[in-house]
PDB file of all heavy atoms in Angstrom:
ATOM      1  N   LEU Q  62    -175.965  62.095-177.630  1.00 96.00           N
ATOM      2  CA  LEU Q  62    -175.624  62.579-176.290  1.00 96.00           C
ATOM      3  C   LEU Q  62    -176.414  61.762-175.267  1.00 96.00           C
ATOM      4  O   LEU Q  62    -177.635  61.631-175.386  1.00 96.00           O
ATOM      5  CB  LEU Q  62    -175.986  64.065-176.140  1.00 96.00           C
ATOM      6  CG  LEU Q  62    -175.266  65.073-177.046  1.00 96.00           C
ATOM      7  CD1 LEU Q  62    -175.756  66.493-176.764  1.00 96.00           C
ATOM      8  CD2 LEU Q  62    -173.760  64.988-176.829  1.00 96.00           C
ATOM      9  N   PHE Q  68    -173.583  64.628-170.477  1.00 94.00           N
ATOM     10  CA  PHE Q  68    -174.052  65.820-169.756  1.00 94.00           C
ATOM     11  C   PHE Q  68    -174.679  65.393-168.434  1.00 94.00           C
ATOM     12  O   PHE Q  68    -175.084  64.244-168.261  1.00 94.00           O
ATOM     13  CB  PHE Q  68    -175.059  66.613-170.595  1.00 94.00           C
ATOM     14  CG  PHE Q  68    -176.269  65.814-170.998  1.00 94.00           C
ATOM     15  CD1 PHE Q  68    -177.407  65.804-170.202  1.00 94.00           C
ATOM     16  CD2 PHE Q  68    -176.265  65.071-172.172  1.00 94.00           C
ATOM     17  CE1 PHE Q  68    -178.522  65.064-170.563  1.00 94.00           C
ATOM     18  CE2 PHE Q  68    -177.380  64.317-172.539  1.00 94.00           C
ATOM     19  CZ  PHE Q  68    -178.511  64.319-171.731  1.00 94.00           C
ATOM     20  N   ASP Q  69    -174.717  66.362-167.512  1.00 93.00           N
ATOM     21  CA  ASP Q  69    -175.274  66.145-166.181  1.00 93.00           C
ATOM     22  C   ASP Q  69    -176.476  67.065-166.066  1.00 93.00           C
ATOM     23  O   ASP Q  69    -176.337  68.287-166.193  1.00 93.00           O
ATOM     24  CB  ASP Q  69    -174.177  66.517-165.157  1.00 93.00           C
ATOM     25  CG  ASP Q  69    -174.607  66.226-163.732  1.00 93.00           C
ATOM     26  OD1 ASP Q  69    -175.815  66.314-163.443  1.00 93.00           O
ATOM     27  OD2 ASP Q  69    -173.715  65.931-162.908  1.00 93.00           O
ATOM     28  N   MET Q  70    -177.664  66.489-165.845  1.00 93.00           N
ATOM     29  CA  MET Q  70    -178.879  67.314-165.809  1.00 93.00           C
ATOM     30  C   MET Q  70    -178.839  68.345-164.683  1.00 93.00           C
ATOM     31  O   MET Q  70    -179.576  69.322-164.711  1.00 93.00           O
ATOM     32  CB  MET Q  70    -180.131  66.434-165.618  1.00 93.00           C
ATOM     33  CG  MET Q  70    -180.538  65.656-166.846  1.00 93.00           C
ATOM     34  SD  MET Q  70    -180.754  66.634-168.332  1.00 93.00           S
ATOM     35  CE  MET Q  70    -182.050  67.709-167.869  1.00 93.00           C
ATOM     36  N   MET Q  71    -177.955  68.115-163.720  1.00 91.00           N
ATOM     37  CA  MET Q  71    -177.911  69.044-162.597  1.00 91.00           C
ATOM     38  C   MET Q  71    -177.461  70.444-163.023  1.00 91.00           C
ATOM     39  O   MET Q  71    -177.892  71.431-162.449  1.00 91.00           O
ATOM     40  CB  MET Q  71    -176.962  68.494-161.546  1.00 91.00           C
ATOM     41  CG  MET Q  71    -177.069  69.265-160.283  1.00 91.00           C
ATOM     42  SD  MET Q  71    -176.595  68.266-158.916  1.00 91.00           S
ATOM     43  CE  MET Q  71    -176.484  69.563-157.701  1.00 91.00           C
ATOM     44  N   TYR Q  72    -176.593  70.505-164.020  1.00 89.00           N
ATOM     45  CA  TYR Q  72    -176.175  71.852-164.448  1.00 89.00           C
ATOM     46  C   TYR Q  72    -176.332  72.081-165.943  1.00 89.00           C
ATOM     47  O   TYR Q  72    -175.712  72.991-166.501  1.00 89.00           O
ATOM     48  CB  TYR Q  72    -174.747  72.164-163.967  1.00 89.00           C
ATOM     49  CG  TYR Q  72    -173.702  71.113-164.271  1.00 89.00           C
ATOM     50  CD1 TYR Q  72    -173.330  70.838-165.585  1.00 89.00           C
ATOM     51  CD2 TYR Q  72    -173.069  70.439-163.247  1.00 89.00           C
ATOM     52  CE1 TYR Q  72    -172.364  69.888-165.858  1.00 89.00           C
ATOM     53  CE2 TYR Q  72    -172.104  69.485-163.502  1.00 89.00           C
ATOM     54  CZ  TYR Q  72    -171.753  69.217-164.807  1.00 89.00           C
ATOM     55  OH  TYR Q  72    -170.798  68.283-165.079  1.00 89.00           O
ATOM     56  N   THR Q  73    -177.146  71.260-166.591  1.00 93.00           N
ATOM     57  CA  THR Q  73    -177.397  71.494-168.013  1.00 93.00           C
ATOM     58  C   THR Q  73    -178.866  71.844-168.223  1.00 93.00           C
ATOM     59  O   THR Q  73    -179.724  70.957-168.184  1.00 93.00           O
ATOM     60  CB  THR Q  73    -177.045  70.241-168.850  1.00 93.00           C
ATOM     61  OG1 THR Q  73    -175.761  69.776-168.454  1.00 93.00           O
ATOM     62  CG2 THR Q  73    -177.027  70.561-170.340  1.00 93.00           C
ATOM     63  N   PRO Q  74    -179.197  73.113-168.428  1.00 94.00           N
ATOM     64  CA  PRO Q  74    -180.596  73.465-168.710  1.00 94.00           C
ATOM     65  C   PRO Q  74    -181.035  72.788-170.012  1.00 94.00           C
ATOM     66  O   PRO Q  74    -180.251  72.668-170.952  1.00 94.00           O
ATOM     67  CB  PRO Q  74    -180.563  74.988-168.872  1.00 94.00           C
ATOM     68  CG  PRO Q  74    -179.249  75.422-168.287  1.00 94.00           C
ATOM     69  CD  PRO Q  74    -178.308  74.275-168.443  1.00 94.00           C
ATOM     70  N   LEU Q  75    -182.295  72.316-170.050  1.00 96.00           N
ATOM     71  CA  LEU Q  75    -182.758  71.548-171.218  1.00 96.00           C
ATOM     72  C   LEU Q  75    -182.684  72.354-172.511  1.00 96.00           C
ATOM     73  O   LEU Q  75    -182.405  71.804-173.583  1.00 96.00           O
ATOM     74  CB  LEU Q  75    -184.194  71.071-170.979  1.00 96.00           C
ATOM     75  CG  LEU Q  75    -184.261  69.810-170.114  1.00 96.00           C
ATOM     76  CD1 LEU Q  75    -185.677  69.607-169.595  1.00 96.00           C
ATOM     77  CD2 LEU Q  75    -183.805  68.592-170.911  1.00 96.00           C
ATOM     78  N   LYS Q  76    -182.927  73.661-172.400  1.00 97.00           N
ATOM     79  CA  LYS Q  76    -182.862  74.483-173.613  1.00 97.00           C
ATOM     80  C   LYS Q  76    -181.434  74.496-174.168  1.00 97.00           C
ATOM     81  O   LYS Q  76    -181.220  74.363-175.370  1.00 97.00           O
ATOM     82  CB  LYS Q  76    -183.322  75.906-173.285  1.00 97.00           C
ATOM     83  CG  LYS Q  76    -183.834  76.664-174.488  1.00 97.00           C
ATOM     84  CD  LYS Q  76    -184.029  78.120-174.158  1.00 97.00           C
ATOM     85  CE  LYS Q  76    -185.497  78.457-174.041  1.00 97.00           C
ATOM     86  NZ  LYS Q  76    -185.727  79.893-173.803  1.00 97.00           N
ATOM     87  N   HIS Q  77    -180.477  74.603-173.261  1.00 97.00           N
ATOM     88  CA  HIS Q  77    -179.070  74.556-173.679  1.00 97.00           C
ATOM     89  C   HIS Q  77    -178.726  73.193-174.272  1.00 97.00           C
ATOM     90  O   HIS Q  77    -177.996  73.091-175.249  1.00 97.00           O
ATOM     91  CB  HIS Q  77    -178.142  74.819-172.495  1.00 97.00           C
ATOM     92  CG  HIS Q  77    -178.080  76.263-172.100  1.00 97.00           C
ATOM     93  ND1 HIS Q  77    -179.113  76.897-171.468  1.00 97.00           N
ATOM     94  CD2 HIS Q  77    -177.102  77.187-172.251  1.00 97.00           C
ATOM     95  CE1 HIS Q  77    -178.781  78.156-171.257  1.00 97.00           C
ATOM     96  NE2 HIS Q  77    -177.563  78.367-171.716  1.00 97.00           N
ATOM     97  N   LEU Q  78    -179.267  72.158-173.648  1.00 97.00           N
ATOM     98  CA  LEU Q  78    -178.978  70.800-174.116  1.00 97.00           C
ATOM     99  C   LEU Q  78    -179.456  70.609-175.561  1.00 97.00           C
ATOM    100  O   LEU Q  78    -178.743  70.048-176.395  1.00 97.00           O
ATOM    101  CB  LEU Q  78    -179.655  69.789-173.188  1.00 97.00           C
ATOM    102  CG  LEU Q  78    -179.437  68.324-173.539  1.00 97.00           C
ATOM    103  CD1 LEU Q  78    -177.954  67.973-173.465  1.00 97.00           C
ATOM    104  CD2 LEU Q  78    -180.248  67.434-172.593  1.00 97.00           C
ATOM    105  N   GLY Q  79    -180.664  71.100-175.840  1.00 98.00           N
ATOM    106  CA  GLY Q  79    -181.198  70.997-177.202  1.00 98.00           C
ATOM    107  C   GLY Q  79    -180.321  71.755-178.189  1.00 98.00           C
ATOM    108  O   GLY Q  79    -179.981  71.247-179.272  1.00 98.00           O
ATOM    109  N   TYR Q  80    -179.936  72.952-177.775  1.00 98.00           N
ATOM    110  CA  TYR Q  80    -179.074  73.767-178.636  1.00 98.00           C
ATOM    111  C   TYR Q  80    -177.747  73.054-178.877  1.00 98.00           C
ATOM    112  O   TYR Q  80    -177.276  72.934-180.017  1.00 98.00           O
ATOM    113  CB  TYR Q  80    -178.831  75.120-177.960  1.00 98.00           C
ATOM    114  CG  TYR Q  80    -178.172  76.141-178.859  1.00 98.00           C
ATOM    115  CD1 TYR Q  80    -178.920  77.116-179.499  1.00 98.00           C
ATOM    116  CD2 TYR Q  80    -176.791  76.129-179.078  1.00 98.00           C
ATOM    117  CE1 TYR Q  80    -178.324  78.056-180.328  1.00 98.00           C
ATOM    118  CE2 TYR Q  80    -176.184  77.050-179.905  1.00 98.00           C
ATOM    119  CZ  TYR Q  80    -176.958  78.019-180.526  1.00 98.00           C
ATOM    120  OH  TYR Q  80    -176.358  78.936-181.351  1.00 98.00           O
ATOM    121  N   LYS Q  81    -177.167  72.546-177.800  1.00 98.00           N
ATOM    122  CA  LYS Q  81    -175.851  71.923-177.901  1.00 98.00           C
ATOM    123  C   LYS Q  81    -175.888  70.651-178.750  1.00 98.00           C
ATOM    124  O   LYS Q  81    -174.966  70.389-179.531  1.00 98.00           O
ATOM    125  CB  LYS Q  81    -175.327  71.605-176.496  1.00 98.00           C
ATOM    126  CG  LYS Q  81    -173.934  70.987-176.494  1.00 98.00           C
ATOM    127  CD  LYS Q  81    -173.346  70.940-175.101  1.00 98.00           C
ATOM    128  CE  LYS Q  81    -171.992  70.262-175.106  1.00 98.00           C
ATOM    129  NZ  LYS Q  81    -171.308  70.334-173.805  1.00 98.00           N
ATOM    130  N   ALA Q  82    -176.961  69.870-178.614  1.00 98.00           N
ATOM    131  CA  ALA Q  82    -177.063  68.627-179.396  1.00 98.00           C
ATOM    132  C   ALA Q  82    -177.027  68.940-180.892  1.00 98.00           C
ATOM    133  O   ALA Q  82    -176.337  68.261-181.664  1.00 98.00           O
ATOM    134  CB  ALA Q  82    -178.343  67.883-179.026  1.00 98.00           C
ATOM    135  N   PHE Q 110    -189.369  62.849-167.259  1.00 95.00           N
ATOM    136  CA  PHE Q 110    -189.484  64.121-167.988  1.00 95.00           C
ATOM    137  C   PHE Q 110    -190.942  64.409-168.327  1.00 95.00           C
ATOM    138  O   PHE Q 110    -191.681  63.512-168.738  1.00 95.00           O
ATOM    139  CB  PHE Q 110    -188.661  64.064-169.279  1.00 95.00           C
ATOM    140  CG  PHE Q 110    -187.191  64.012-169.006  1.00 95.00           C
ATOM    141  CD1 PHE Q 110    -186.562  62.801-168.749  1.00 95.00           C
ATOM    142  CD2 PHE Q 110    -186.429  65.174-168.960  1.00 95.00           C
ATOM    143  CE1 PHE Q 110    -185.211  62.749-168.467  1.00 95.00           C
ATOM    144  CE2 PHE Q 110    -185.076  65.131-168.686  1.00 95.00           C
ATOM    145  CZ  PHE Q 110    -184.464  63.905-168.436  1.00 95.00           C
ATOM    146  N   ALA Q 114    -190.978  69.826-170.163  1.00 96.00           N
ATOM    147  CA  ALA Q 114    -189.513  69.710-170.169  1.00 96.00           C
ATOM    148  C   ALA Q 114    -189.026  69.436-171.596  1.00 96.00           C
ATOM    149  O   ALA Q 114    -188.045  70.035-172.056  1.00 96.00           O
ATOM    150  CB  ALA Q 114    -189.062  68.601-169.228  1.00 96.00           C
ATOM    151  N   GLU Q 117    -189.050  72.454-173.704  1.00 98.00           N
ATOM    152  CA  GLU Q 117    -187.878  73.285-173.408  1.00 98.00           C
ATOM    153  C   GLU Q 117    -186.687  72.813-174.261  1.00 98.00           C
ATOM    154  O   GLU Q 117    -185.969  73.605-174.872  1.00 98.00           O
ATOM    155  CB  GLU Q 117    -187.541  73.066-171.947  1.00 98.00           C
ATOM    156  CG  GLU Q 117    -187.266  74.172-170.983  1.00 98.00           C
ATOM    157  CD  GLU Q 117    -187.391  75.596-171.378  1.00 98.00           C
ATOM    158  OE1 GLU Q 117    -188.451  76.027-171.868  1.00 98.00           O
ATOM    159  OE2 GLU Q 117    -186.398  76.307-171.180  1.00 98.00           O
ATOM    160  N   LEU Q 118    -186.499  71.487-174.295  1.00 98.00           N
ATOM    161  CA  LEU Q 118    -185.425  70.899-175.105  1.00 98.00           C
ATOM    162  C   LEU Q 118    -185.594  71.328-176.569  1.00 98.00           C
ATOM    163  O   LEU Q 118    -184.638  71.763-177.222  1.00 98.00           O
ATOM    164  CB  LEU Q 118    -185.496  69.369-174.997  1.00 98.00           C
ATOM    165  CG  LEU Q 118    -184.481  68.582-175.826  1.00 98.00           C
ATOM    166  CD1 LEU Q 118    -183.132  68.584-175.106  1.00 98.00           C
ATOM    167  CD2 LEU Q 118    -184.942  67.139-176.045  1.00 98.00           C
ATOM    168  N   TYR Q 119    -186.821  71.236-177.048  1.00 98.00           N
ATOM    169  CA  TYR Q 119    -187.083  71.574-178.453  1.00 98.00           C
ATOM    170  C   TYR Q 119    -186.998  73.074-178.717  1.00 98.00           C
ATOM    171  O   TYR Q 119    -186.716  73.486-179.847  1.00 98.00           O
ATOM    172  CB  TYR Q 119    -188.422  70.960-178.912  1.00 98.00           C
ATOM    173  CG  TYR Q 119    -188.165  69.585-179.476  1.00 98.00           C
ATOM    174  CD1 TYR Q 119    -187.835  68.538-178.625  1.00 98.00           C
ATOM    175  CD2 TYR Q 119    -188.127  69.361-180.846  1.00 98.00           C
ATOM    176  CE1 TYR Q 119    -187.509  67.294-179.125  1.00 98.00           C
ATOM    177  CE2 TYR Q 119    -187.803  68.110-181.358  1.00 98.00           C
ATOM    178  CZ  TYR Q 119    -187.493  67.095-180.503  1.00 98.00           C
ATOM    179  OH  TYR Q 119    -187.148  65.870-181.009  1.00 98.00           O
ATOM    180  N   ALA Q 120    -187.216  73.879-177.680  1.00 98.00           N
ATOM    181  CA  ALA Q 120    -187.028  75.334-177.852  1.00 98.00           C
ATOM    182  C   ALA Q 120    -185.557  75.592-178.175  1.00 98.00           C
ATOM    183  O   ALA Q 120    -185.230  76.394-179.063  1.00 98.00           O
ATOM    184  CB  ALA Q 120    -187.453  76.066-176.588  1.00 98.00           C
ATOM    185  N   GLY Q 121    -184.659  74.885-177.484  1.00 98.00           N
ATOM    186  CA  GLY Q 121    -183.222  75.030-177.751  1.00 98.00           C
ATOM    187  C   GLY Q 121    -182.853  74.513-179.128  1.00 98.00           C
ATOM    188  O   GLY Q 121    -182.065  75.130-179.849  1.00 98.00           O
ATOM    189  N   ILE Q 122    -183.439  73.378-179.493  1.00 98.00           N
ATOM    190  CA  ILE Q 122    -183.190  72.804-180.825  1.00 98.00           C
ATOM    191  C   ILE Q 122    -183.600  73.815-181.899  1.00 98.00           C
ATOM    192  O   ILE Q 122    -182.881  74.052-182.870  1.00 98.00           O
ATOM    193  CB  ILE Q 122    -183.970  71.468-180.980  1.00 98.00           C
ATOM    194  CG1 ILE Q 122    -183.336  70.393-180.086  1.00 98.00           C
ATOM    195  CG2 ILE Q 122    -184.043  71.027-182.442  1.00 98.00           C
ATOM    196  CD1 ILE Q 122    -184.121  69.092-180.000  1.00 98.00           C
ATOM    197  N   ILE Q 145    -182.209  60.546-170.412  1.00 97.00           N
ATOM    198  CA  ILE Q 145    -182.559  61.038-171.740  1.00 97.00           C
ATOM    199  C   ILE Q 145    -181.381  60.837-172.688  1.00 97.00           C
ATOM    200  O   ILE Q 145    -180.219  61.025-172.302  1.00 97.00           O
ATOM    201  CB  ILE Q 145    -183.032  62.524-171.670  1.00 97.00           C
ATOM    202  CG1 ILE Q 145    -183.348  63.080-173.061  1.00 97.00           C
ATOM    203  CG2 ILE Q 145    -182.008  63.425-170.999  1.00 97.00           C
ATOM    204  CD1 ILE Q 145    -184.137  64.372-173.027  1.00 97.00           C
ATOM    205  N   ILE Q 147    -180.242  61.721-176.722  1.00 98.00           N
ATOM    206  CA  ILE Q 147    -180.594  62.517-177.905  1.00 98.00           C
ATOM    207  C   ILE Q 147    -179.634  62.198-179.042  1.00 98.00           C
ATOM    208  O   ILE Q 147    -178.410  62.255-178.856  1.00 98.00           O
ATOM    209  CB  ILE Q 147    -180.464  64.027-177.607  1.00 98.00           C
ATOM    210  CG1 ILE Q 147    -181.264  64.377-176.351  1.00 98.00           C
ATOM    211  CG2 ILE Q 147    -180.934  64.876-178.780  1.00 98.00           C
ATOM    212  CD1 ILE Q 147    -180.902  65.733-175.807  1.00 98.00           C
ATOM    213  N   LEU Q 188    -168.273  74.133-163.412  1.00 93.00           N
ATOM    214  CA  LEU Q 188    -169.596  73.573-163.095  1.00 93.00           C
ATOM    215  C   LEU Q 188    -169.477  72.400-162.132  1.00 93.00           C
ATOM    216  O   LEU Q 188    -170.263  72.264-161.196  1.00 93.00           O
ATOM    217  CB  LEU Q 188    -170.301  73.141-164.387  1.00 93.00           C
ATOM    218  CG  LEU Q 188    -170.764  74.298-165.269  1.00 93.00           C
ATOM    219  CD1 LEU Q 188    -171.187  73.791-166.648  1.00 93.00           C
ATOM    220  CD2 LEU Q 188    -171.925  75.045-164.614  1.00 93.00           C
ATOM    221  N   LEU Q 205    -171.190  82.825-160.650  1.00 79.00           N
ATOM    222  CA  LEU Q 205    -170.634  82.321-161.902  1.00 79.00           C
ATOM    223  C   LEU Q 205    -170.351  83.422-162.914  1.00 79.00           C
ATOM    224  O   LEU Q 205    -169.851  83.156-164.000  1.00 79.00           O
ATOM    225  CB  LEU Q 205    -171.587  81.284-162.509  1.00 79.00           C
ATOM    226  CG  LEU Q 205    -171.786  80.008-161.669  1.00 79.00           C
ATOM    227  CD1 LEU Q 205    -172.859  79.135-162.270  1.00 79.00           C
ATOM    228  CD2 LEU Q 205    -170.486  79.232-161.540  1.00 79.00           C
ATOM    229  N   LEU Q 212    -168.232  79.207-169.400  1.00 96.00           N
ATOM    230  CA  LEU Q 212    -169.471  78.451-169.156  1.00 96.00           C
ATOM    231  C   LEU Q 212    -170.288  78.368-170.437  1.00 96.00           C
ATOM    232  O   LEU Q 212    -170.841  77.326-170.778  1.00 96.00           O
ATOM    233  CB  LEU Q 212    -170.295  79.120-168.051  1.00 96.00           C
ATOM    234  CG  LEU Q 212    -169.672  79.028-166.656  1.00 96.00           C
ATOM    235  CD1 LEU Q 212    -170.514  79.793-165.649  1.00 96.00           C
ATOM    236  CD2 LEU Q 212    -169.518  77.576-166.230  1.00 96.00           C
ATOM    237  N   TYR Q 215    -168.957  75.803-172.786  1.00 96.00           N
ATOM    238  CA  TYR Q 215    -169.329  74.425-172.473  1.00 96.00           C
ATOM    239  C   TYR Q 215    -170.819  74.177-172.716  1.00 96.00           C
ATOM    240  O   TYR Q 215    -171.201  73.174-173.320  1.00 96.00           O
ATOM    241  CB  TYR Q 215    -168.982  74.076-171.016  1.00 96.00           C
ATOM    242  CG  TYR Q 215    -169.452  72.677-170.681  1.00 96.00           C
ATOM    243  CD1 TYR Q 215    -168.785  71.565-171.177  1.00 96.00           C
ATOM    244  CD2 TYR Q 215    -170.616  72.475-169.920  1.00 96.00           C
ATOM    245  CE1 TYR Q 215    -169.247  70.279-170.928  1.00 96.00           C
ATOM    246  CE2 TYR Q 215    -171.079  71.189-169.670  1.00 96.00           C
ATOM    247  CZ  TYR Q 215    -170.393  70.103-170.178  1.00 96.00           C
ATOM    248  OH  TYR Q 215    -170.865  68.836-169.945  1.00 96.00           O
ATOM    249  N   LEU Q 216    -171.648  75.109-172.253  1.00 96.00           N
ATOM    250  CA  LEU Q 216    -173.098  74.864-172.281  1.00 96.00           C
ATOM    251  C   LEU Q 216    -173.717  75.169-173.641  1.00 96.00           C
ATOM    252  O   LEU Q 216    -174.750  74.628-173.992  1.00 96.00           O
ATOM    253  CB  LEU Q 216    -173.796  75.711-171.208  1.00 96.00           C
ATOM    254  CG  LEU Q 216    -173.525  75.308-169.757  1.00 96.00           C
ATOM    255  CD1 LEU Q 216    -174.121  76.340-168.798  1.00 96.00           C
ATOM    256  CD2 LEU Q 216    -174.099  73.922-169.454  1.00 96.00           C
ATOM    257  N   LYS Q 217    -173.102  76.080-174.390  1.00 97.00           N
ATOM    258  CA  LYS Q 217    -173.713  76.517-175.645  1.00 97.00           C
ATOM    259  C   LYS Q 217    -172.647  76.731-176.723  1.00 97.00           C
ATOM    260  O   LYS Q 217    -172.353  77.852-177.120  1.00 97.00           O
ATOM    261  CB  LYS Q 217    -174.492  77.822-175.381  1.00 97.00           C
ATOM    262  CG  LYS Q 217    -175.408  78.233-176.493  1.00 97.00           C
ATOM    263  CD  LYS Q 217    -176.327  79.365-176.011  1.00 97.00           C
ATOM    264  CE  LYS Q 217    -176.928  80.120-177.171  1.00 97.00           C
ATOM    265  NZ  LYS Q 217    -175.956  80.943-177.899  1.00 97.00           N
TER     266      LYS Q 217
END
Side-chain angles (χ1 to χ4, degrees):
L62 297 180
F68 58 91
D69 185 329
M70 286 307 298
M71 190 154 168
Y72 50 66
T73 312
L75 279 164
K76 204 190 253 184
H77 284 72
L78 180 62
Y80 191 99
K81 182 169 177 173
F110 292 85
E117 228 4 55
L118 178 79
Y119 270 72
I122 290 172
I145 178 165
I147 307 165
L188 289 168
L205 296 173
L212 291 176
Y215 176 74
L216 291 172
K217 192 169 161 289

